[in-house]
Amino acid sequence: MKCCYKFIFLFLAACVLLSCEQKRDNVSVDFIPGKPRLLQESLALADSMVVYNAQGLAYTTNSLKEIKKFAKAAVLDEENVEFERILKDDFLDKVNLSVSLFQKGKLIDYLFYYENSYSWDTLFEGIVYSLQGYGRMKKLAPIYTFFKDRKISTEGKTAEFKTRPNLPALKVNIYVDTFELKEGKFLSDTMPPREFETGLVNSVKRPCRWLLDRTFKRYYKEGFNLSVDATITFGDSGRVTNVSMNTEHLEYKDFLEEVKSILYYGWMPPKVQTRLMDPLPCMYISDNLPPELQSRKIWSYVAAQEIVKSEKVHLSFSREYSQECRGEGNEKDSVEIIGYSDKIKEHCDEIRFTKDFATGGINYLECIKREPLFTKKPIKFPTIYTLFDRYHAMYVKEDLSLNQVVKLKIPACFVEE
């Protein structure tokens, strides 16, 4: 009889284990890399995790039991998956720990843990950023106890994201040049194609930009001169089903292969938000808008997932420069833009711009003038003007094509800061 009970117990245990595995398999079927999801959903999908702290790689596991314990400790009290998921380097300077989640060797999410340094926020001790969103924890004790029990230090800032010494300010710009609609689908007559593309840019920018930035900084070296053109095809639920791009290169094949794998993290949402300018509410007063925007909607939501079949994406890899004019009087020649329909020539005290490695053209130019604020006691106050923005020229003014190269003529008085 005891033997019979033992057999029944083992049989039931096996069924429970099998049921758990089946549940995990069912979850994995619905995994769409770039689609925003709650942290606990990402943890339910994960079959391995990697932790970095101030000393570097601190912990790895592929134990589902361990991941379940971490999930229990990592519960957030507040979470927003609609957060603008564009991670910046200044975020990473403050990271106490980073946790990478994987499923079958593919990255699901990055988690970045911070101690809350905002004095006005006394309710939450911890902050978490991820590729999927943003969350806060009232108490850090559960997550810190999990790490402490595994002898993982939470002191200092994580060593995973320390930039290589003397690396220039690098940037990845993402443009959508054309798109193809599904058979029988149409874009509204009131929605210009270029305006629609400002929404499509986010199908790549939100889930992929930070990963592209990291990859670019890892592979960059003197003489880098690449750009990337890729066609991304979308399937059911906005999932990327194919990325078509050339990865053949004698020196940078590994880089291009990694870029291609990152583009599979794109996701086409049910609706995209078109955006003709950055979200600065004070600028939306009609009188403050440039003429080309005064009679147009600054943003709108447009159906995308059900109508978009594919899009052609251009990745521009560029470097940011900041230069100051050290000359006086007649030496202060004008900064001039060449290759654009608008004639732009301006006196500037400082300029900031991004220069594309592949073409030598600029994507952005900012002019800073230091003008007297008061007449009796002149204090030179900086006034900042955007003289050129490729995004604005392509999608708002629609007087620049993607393959046009806009160059900058810089007077001799300017030196790099």
Side-chain angles (χ1 to χ4, degrees), residues 125-407:
E125 289 184 355
I127 297 175
V128 180
Y129 282 103
S130 74
L131 297 180
Q132 307 296 339
Y134 163 83
R136 297 193 291 179
M137 296 172 290
K138 291 181 179 178
K139 297 294 180 184
L140 276 169
I143 196 76
Y144 275 9
T145 299
F146 174 88
F147 293 126
K148 185 178 178 181
D149 290 346
R150 288 150 187 81
K151 295 181 172 56
I152 303 169
S153 172
T154 58
E155 299 295 325
K157 309 306 175 189
T158 181
E160 185 183 3
F161 306 105
K162 288 181 179 176
T163 306
R164 288 156 46 196
N166 303 318
L167 194 66
L170 302 175
K171 190 174 180 67
V172 181
N173 290 101
I174 300 169
Y175 303 98
V176 172
D177 188 32
T178 57
F179 59 90
E180 182 184 358
L181 298 179
K182 295 176 181 176
E183 187 176 352
K185 299 296 182 180
F186 302 94
L187 195 61
S188 168
D189 293 338
T190 60
M191 176 54 61
R194 276 301 195 203
E195 185 173 332
F196 183 55
E197 286 167 4
T198 66
L200 298 186
V201 164
N202 277 333
S203 67
V204 180
K205 187 177 181 181
R206 288 186 175 182
C208 301
R209 181 174 170 178
W210 183 79
L211 295 171
L212 291 169
D213 282 343
R214 280 193 70 205
T215 301
F216 182 26
K217 288 173 182 176
R218 198 167 71 251
Y219 280 94
Y220 170 81
K221 59 184 176 181
E222 195 70 31
F224 183 97
N225 63 349
L226 294 181
S227 63
V228 166
D229 290 293
T231 300
I232 301 175
T233 303
F234 300 93
D236 295 338
S237 303
R239 181 195 310 270
V240 174
T241 56
N242 187 59
V243 175
S244 176
M245 63 174 273
N246 183 14
T247 61
E248 294 303 318
H249 196 280
L250 289 174
E251 195 173 2
Y252 286 105
K253 181 175 175 61
D254 290 345
F255 168 73
L256 293 171
E257 289 285 359
E258 192 163 333
V259 167
K260 183 175 181 178
S261 69
I262 290 171
L263 292 179
Y264 275 95
Y265 285 86
W267 178 64
M268 186 61 68
K271 290 185 177 182
V272 294
Q273 183 185 20
T274 63
R275 180 176 292 177
L276 298 182
M277 68 179 293
D278 286 332
L280 301 174
C282 61
M283 293 292 291
Y284 292 155
I285 301 171
S286 180
D287 292 342
N288 292 334
L289 295 173
E292 62 268 19
L293 283 174
Q294 289 188 5
S295 61
R296 299 174 68 178
K297 287 185 178 180
I298 303 303
W299 73 83
S300 58
Y301 287 93
V302 187
Q305 192 178 99
E306 65 179 23
I307 68 170
V308 176
K309 178 182 179 181
S310 66
E311 61 188 19
K312 185 178 179 181
V313 174
H314 177 79
L315 305 181
S316 167
F317 301 98
S318 61
R319 178 182 173 181
E320 295 179 312
Y321 293 86
S322 181
Q323 297 186 3
E324 182 179 358
C325 182
R326 301 286 171 83
E328 295 292 339
N330 293 332
E331 290 184 61
K332 282 194 173 183
D333 208 351
S334 296
V335 173
E336 187 176 359
I337 289 179
I338 300 167
Y340 183 44
S341 57
D342 282 2
K343 187 176 180 180
I344 301 174
K345 196 172 183 179
E346 193 72 48
H347 285 280
C348 305
D349 294 302
E350 294 178 42
I351 54 173
R352 296 173 189 157
F353 60 96
T354 58
K355 188 175 182 180
D356 183 279
F357 282 109
T359 65
I362 62 168
N363 291 329
Y364 184 82
L365 172 63
E366 197 172 70
C367 172
I368 302 166
K369 294 184 179 182
R370 300 194 177 278
E371 301 167 321
L373 185 60
F374 304 106
T375 53
K376 290 184 179 180
K377 287 186 177 182
I379 300 172
K380 289 192 174 181
F381 187 79
T383 306
I384 302 172
Y385 308 87
T386 299
L387 295 185
F388 176 77
D389 182 349
R390 175 173 285 276
Y391 183 95
H392 189 85
M394 282 180 58
Y395 298 118
V396 181
K397 299 184 76 173
E398 299 187 29
D399 57 3
L400 184 76
S401 65
L402 183 62
N403 59 5
Q404 277 182 263
V405 179
V406 177
K407 297 209 171 182

